[in-house]
Amino acid sequence: MTRSIVVGLDGAEQANAAAEWAAEEALLRGTGVHLVYATEPVPEAVLSLVPRESERAWAEAMLARTAGGLRERHPGLSVTTQLLPAGPVPGLVAAAEESELLVLGSRALGSVAGYLLGSVGLTVAGAVARPVVLVRAGSESTTPQGPVVVGTDVRQPVDAVLGFAFEEAARRHTQVHVVYAQQLPLYARLGPAMVPDIRHALAPEIKRSLEELLDPWRAKYPDVAAAAGVVVGSAGLELVEAARDAALVVVGRRTRHSALGAHIGSVAHAVLHHSPVPVALVPHS
C-alpha cells in the first residue's frame, strides 16, 4: 500500500499551509494525507491540574476541521487523522518513518529576520530518515509552476537529493535548476576587485562539471529540462536568491549526529530560515 504524506498540525496558520501543500503533493503522488497532532506528555504529579480532556477535544476538533476542509477542496483525496500520545518530537519522528514525506509549517518573522521553524521542527527535521518539507503561510502555492531549485556540490554530488528534485519536477511538469555555489577564497574577500577575475576563471570549468553531472539525470528524465548554474558566494543565501520564483527548493541533510544531537547543517539552516518558497530537506549518508 502506498504510504501517506504526514502533516504535523498545531492549529497555527503555517500548519494549515503545510496541510494544503501536502494535499496538492498527495494528488501528484497518488497517495493520501495523514494529519497528526502530538500532545506533550504531562508529569503524573500535575495530571490532576491539567485539563487534558479539553486539549484532546480541541485537537480532535482541529484535526477534523482541517481534514474536512482538505476533502472539500480536493474531492477524492484520502485524509486520515491521528492524535500522537508520545510527545511532539518522538511522535512526529515515529509517524514520519511510516510515511513517504513529512510536512511541517514554519513561521514568518519578517523580511529581515526570515522564518522560524521552531525547536520541535528543527529537532524533527534533523532526526527523521524521510524527506521533510517546510512550508510557511502564503508559500504553499505562490509559484506552483515554477522550477524546482536544488543545491549540489560537484565534488560530492548526492543521488538522493538530485533524484528527489527530478522526481518533483517530473510530477509538476516543470524544470530543474541545479545550483552550485562557489565559495570565494579568503584573499578574494579581502580585495573586491579580484572577485570578477576569480568568477570568470572558475565558473566555466565548474559549469562543465555540472553539465556532465546532469547528463545521466537528463537521460533518466527526458521530459524534464535541467539547467545548471554556478554562483559565487554563500551557498545558503545564493540558493534562497535562486529560489525566489521556484515551486520548491531542495537541499540535502547529512544523516549524522553530534554530541548535541542531530543537526541539519549550515546551508540547510540558512535556506529553511529565509526561503520564500517551500523547502524540501532530503537526508543522505
Side-chain angles (χ1 to χ4, degrees):
M1 183 175 65
T2 305
R3 296 184 178 190
S4 294
I5 296 175
V6 169
V7 185
L9 295 183
D10 59 5
E13 182 183 6
Q14 58 270 16
N16 294 333
E20 185 62 32
W21 187 93
E24 295 174 359
E25 177 73 9
L27 292 174
L28 292 174
R29 290 175 177 242
T31 185
V33 172
H34 187 51
L35 306 175
V36 301
Y37 174 82
T39 60
E40 190 72 54
V42 179
E44 291 186 9
V46 296
L47 275 176
S48 60
L49 304 177
V50 179
R52 301 301 291 173
E53 288 306 313
S54 63
E55 180 192 2
R56 182 182 182 88
W58 172 85
E60 289 177 340
M62 182 266 296
L63 287 170
R65 182 173 60 253
T66 306
L70 292 182
R71 295 188 189 106
E72 181 178 350
R73 291 188 295 275
H74 307 283
L77 176 67
S78 172
V79 184
T80 56
T81 64
Q82 182 183 10
L83 288 178
L84 305 176
V89 172
L92 287 171
V93 170
E97 295 307 320
E98 300 299 321
S99 71
E100 283 197 8
L101 194 68
L102 174 65
V103 184
L104 302 172
S106 59
R107 178 161 56 89
L109 294 179
S111 59
V112 176
Y115 311 107
L116 178 66
L117 174 57
S119 59
V120 170
L122 283 173
T123 302
V124 172
V128 299
R130 300 285 181 188
V132 181
V133 175
L134 295 310
V135 183
R136 68 177 180 87
S139 73
E140 65 274 24
S141 58
T142 302
T143 51
Q145 300 305 315
V148 173
V149 172
V150 56
T152 192
D153 187 339
V154 293
R155 298 163 300 180
Q156 295 178 315
V158 178
D159 285 350
V161 178
L162 289 171
F164 186 93
F166 272 84
E167 284 283 351
E168 289 298 312
R171 291 188 182 102
R172 288 167 168 74
H173 304 288
T174 189
Q175 66 176 343
V176 170
H177 183 194
V178 183
V179 177
Y180 172 72
Q182 172 66 43
Q183 291 277 9
L184 289 175
L186 179 60
Y187 64 81
R189 299 174 201 171
L190 299 177
M194 298 179 65
V195 174
D197 293 335
I198 292 174
R199 185 191 305 269
H200 291 305
L202 296 178
E205 181 179 348
I206 297 173
K207 183 74 173 346
R208 283 193 295 272
S209 297
L210 269 180
E211 295 291 348
E212 292 174 0
L213 172 65
L214 291 179
D215 284 343
W217 293 102
R218 288 176 172 133
K220 185 175 181 180
Y221 296 89
D223 295 331
V224 176
V230 179
V231 294
V232 179
S234 165
L237 295 180
E238 293 297 337
L239 273 174
V240 169
E241 183 62 31
R244 296 209 173 270
D245 295 321
L248 181 71
V249 57
V250 181
V251 292
R253 174 186 68 81
R254 189 177 296 278
T255 52
R256 60 187 178 188
H257 295 262
S258 68
L260 299 177
H263 62 94
I264 63 173
S266 59
V267 174
H269 198 276
V271 175
L272 288 177
H273 279 72
H274 297 283
S275 172
V277 303
V279 178
L281 189 61
V282 180
H284 64 87
S285 58

